[in-house]
Amino acid sequence: MIHDCEATQERVVDLLFGELDGGRAGLALEELDGCPACRVQYQSLVETLQTFDRAAEASLPAEDFWPGYEERLRKRMAQEIQPNIWQTAAALSTARPEYRLTFLEDEGLTRRLTREVRGVAHDAELTWPEFKRDPLGFTGRSVSAYSHAGWKFLSQRDVSLAVLASFVVIFGAVGLVVGLEQFRLSRASRVAVNEELVLVEMLSPEAEIPKEQQKPEEGPAGMAKGKGGGMKPKQEKPGGGGGGGRQEALPASHGKLPQASLQPQILPPNPHPPKVPNPHLAVPATIQADPTLFPPDTRPIPLGDPKSKETTPSSGTGTGGGIGNGTGTGVGSGDGSGFGPGRGFNTGGGDPNIGGGGPGGGGGGVDYNKTFNQKDVTRKAVILAKPEPGFTEEARKNNVTGIVRLRAVLSSSGGVTNISVIKPLPDGLTEKAISAARQIKFQPAQKDGRTVSQYIVLEYNFNIY
């Protein structure tokens, strides 16, 4: 019997949609006359449409879905399954291949290099027995095998270019560094040739190279009151310095300076001089400096460094026999018989020089006329009496309480000046605090044995009991 596939296809479509609309499970395969290929295609199509049918039932109510279902399904088939439903059914019946992602082991550079070397050795039969049997032949085969492997590697695409570029970069960097170094050396040699060296003095092997001196403080040098620089008529900056010590454990102690004289020293200063009973000729200790800058100090205190705060008598950690942490027979951190940073003698820093313009003050740069903070003075001001301020009637009525904080200067002349308000209170309490501050009695602060002005912060507490 000749089978008509086209007639069978029309029969399948009519029966299929008719049975689905009628609610039956599907068209029985026994009711279809056809070839085995048509039966397979029919079965695949039935399964596909039943899948669509179940999805629709799960997503929409039956009363809203079944009206016009056949028409919608035919259009869906025309769009999704293509016009030739038999080719689509056959394609759906074919199982799609399953793809799985395969991860390859990432082999490290060292392991790959070892594997390549072993491979070359295996191919060339480079084994220990071969080496013992024929050392020369083993060496020749090794050189040949590894040379061939290296050439094979370098002959790959872009490898030779990369290796050449790396060598160019490395040798270029090395050449640049060498060139810069040669340029620096040649320039230094030219500078050395053009310089004119002058021999000043030969030092003996035992001689000590002078150390770099500290920079003196700003201001006039010396301990007198004035802005001059020394005994010369015209204004001129003095220079020089001195230091000393007897390598004692404690720093140089505080004290007054010995008498200043430009004559060579006979006896260097000493905070604890030896006691000589009944001396035939008393010789005072001196520093070699301009007496215009250092007036006599008649206070009955030991000799020492006026800038020190140490109270235990000590010559200091320096050397030479003077007082301080320098070198020489003077006082301070310098190197010489004068005072303070500098060399030789006198004061002011640097090399020795006799200045001019009259008396100068500041103790090597300290301006004793300025106002000092409490931490910068040798002895703080001592308040002897501090009157309490009274309340005002307005503050009492308004129940005003709190603290008035003032900043003032306890001047070297004994008065309270330069009062400024840090924290005020209303209703006249600030004015009461200022008036009380002006009546403070105190003993002025001291700096290096000199009376100086000092800043202070005052607080007045106003409370109603």
Side-chain angles (χ1 to χ4, degrees):
M1 179 179 66
I2 301 175
H3 177 69
D4 188 355
C5 291
E6 295 183 0
T8 302
Q9 293 173 7
E10 294 177 0
R11 173 66 176 163
V12 166
V13 173
D14 292 337
L15 290 176
L16 180 61
F17 286 106
E19 296 300 333
L20 289 176
D21 290 343
R24 291 173 56 184
L27 185 61
L29 294 178
E30 291 78 6
E31 299 179 14
L32 178 63
D33 295 331
C35 64
C38 293
R39 291 168 63 89
V40 173
Q41 294 173 349
Y42 166 75
Q43 184 179 8
S44 176
L45 182 58
V46 169
E47 294 175 355
T48 303
L49 294 178
Q50 285 179 344
T51 301
F52 291 154
D53 183 46
R54 286 193 297 270
E57 286 182 333
S59 60
L60 291 174
E63 60 271 12
D64 294 335
F65 181 77
W66 292 113
Y69 170 68
E70 178 182 351
E71 183 63 26
R72 291 200 301 274
L73 190 54
R74 287 184 182 273
K75 290 182 179 180
R76 182 69 178 272
M77 289 175 61
Q79 296 174 358
E80 300 289 340
I81 312 178
Q82 302 299 330
N84 190 344
I85 62 174
W86 300 102
Q87 295 179 2
T88 305
L92 292 174
S93 63
T94 305
R96 294 183 178 179
E98 183 178 3
Y99 294 95
R100 296 181 181 273
L101 183 61
T102 302
F103 291 92
L104 299 178
E105 182 182 359
D106 187 11
E107 190 176 13
L109 178 61
T110 305
R111 293 180 59 186
R112 283 187 289 167
L113 181 60
T114 304
R115 179 170 51 80
E116 292 292 336
V117 171
R118 288 179 177 176
V120 173
H122 180 270
D123 294 340
E125 298 181 354
L126 302 177
T127 61
W128 178 248
E130 287 292 328
F131 176 76
K132 292 192 296 183
R133 185 182 63 83
D134 185 12
L136 295 179
F138 179 88
T139 304
R141 290 196 305 274
S142 299
V143 173
S144 177
Y146 288 115
S147 299
H148 179 72
W151 174 253
K152 182 179 179 181
F153 170 75
L154 294 175
S155 62
Q156 295 181 22
R157 180 181 179 184
D158 296 335
V159 173
S160 300
L161 182 60
V163 173
L164 180 62
S166 63
F167 275 103
V168 169
V169 171
I170 293 173
F171 284 111
V174 173
L176 179 61
V177 172
V178 173
L180 291 176
E181 182 65 16
Q182 292 295 329
F183 174 75
R184 185 187 67 83
L185 293 176
S186 62
R187 184 175 181 181
S189 62
R190 288 198 301 269
V191 172
V193 170
N194 293 331
E195 288 182 349
E196 184 178 356
L197 300 180
V198 179
L199 179 61
V200 178
E201 182 182 0
M202 291 292 292
L203 294 177
S204 64
E206 296 79 11
E208 183 179 355
I209 299 177
K211 65 180 181 180
E212 186 67 22
Q213 295 295 319
Q214 299 177 358
K215 183 179 180 181
E217 298 179 8
E218 297 294 334
M223 303 291 291
K225 291 185 177 180
K227 298 182 179 180
M231 61 175 58
K232 292 182 180 180
K234 295 184 179 180
Q235 183 73 33
E236 186 177 349
K237 183 180 181 302
R246 290 175 173 82
Q247 295 182 323
E248 299 186 21
L250 295 177
S253 56
H254 175 77
K256 65 179 182 180
L257 288 175
Q259 181 180 348
S261 174
L262 290 176
Q263 299 297 322
Q265 285 177 298
I266 299 177
L267 188 66
N270 190 346
H272 37 67
K275 296 182 179 181
V276 180
N278 301 321
H280 294 286
L281 180 63
V283 179
T286 61
I287 57 172
Q288 192 177 7
D290 189 346
T292 308
L293 304 177
F294 298 94
D297 192 340
T298 59
R299 293 177 297 168
I301 60 176
L303 299 180
D305 187 350
K307 295 184 178 182
S308 175
K309 297 181 180 181
E310 182 66 35
T311 57
T312 304
S314 172
S315 296
T317 58
T319 59
I323 299 175
N325 59 350
T327 303
T329 56
V331 177
S333 60
D335 182 8
S337 56
F339 174 70
R343 307 179 188 89
F345 63 94
N346 205 16
T347 189
D351 295 327
N353 180 57
I354 305 300
V366 179
D367 183 7
Y368 292 96
N369 296 322
K370 72 175 185 178
T371 303
F372 293 86
N373 294 320
Q374 296 186 29
K375 63 182 181 63
D376 297 327
V377 299
T378 306
R379 191 187 70 181
K380 298 179 182 179
V382 179
I383 296 179
L384 304 176
K386 182 183 178 183
E388 293 293 331
F391 252 80
T392 63
E393 289 299 325
E394 293 183 358
R396 196 181 304 277
K397 291 179 182 179
N398 297 328
N399 199 25
V400 178
T401 61
I403 295 176
V404 173
R405 185 175 291 112
L406 306 175
R407 176 182 169 91
V409 174
L410 303 181
S411 68
S412 57
S413 60
V416 182
T417 61
N418 300 92
I419 300 176
S420 60
V421 180
I422 301 176
K423 182 181 179 182
L425 284 178
D427 296 336
L429 295 184
T430 301
E431 289 74 11
K432 283 284 186 180
I434 294 175
S435 177
R438 296 187 186 279
Q439 303 175 31
I440 290 178
K441 303 298 181 182
F442 64 95
Q443 184 177 354
Q446 288 189 356
K447 171 72 172 176
D448 302 333
R450 295 176 177 271
T451 301
V452 295
S453 300
Q454 172 196 312
Y455 288 109
I456 191 172
V457 175
L458 302 171
E459 289 187 352
Y460 292 94
N461 194 357
F462 291 88
N463 290 315
I464 297 178
Y465 300 100

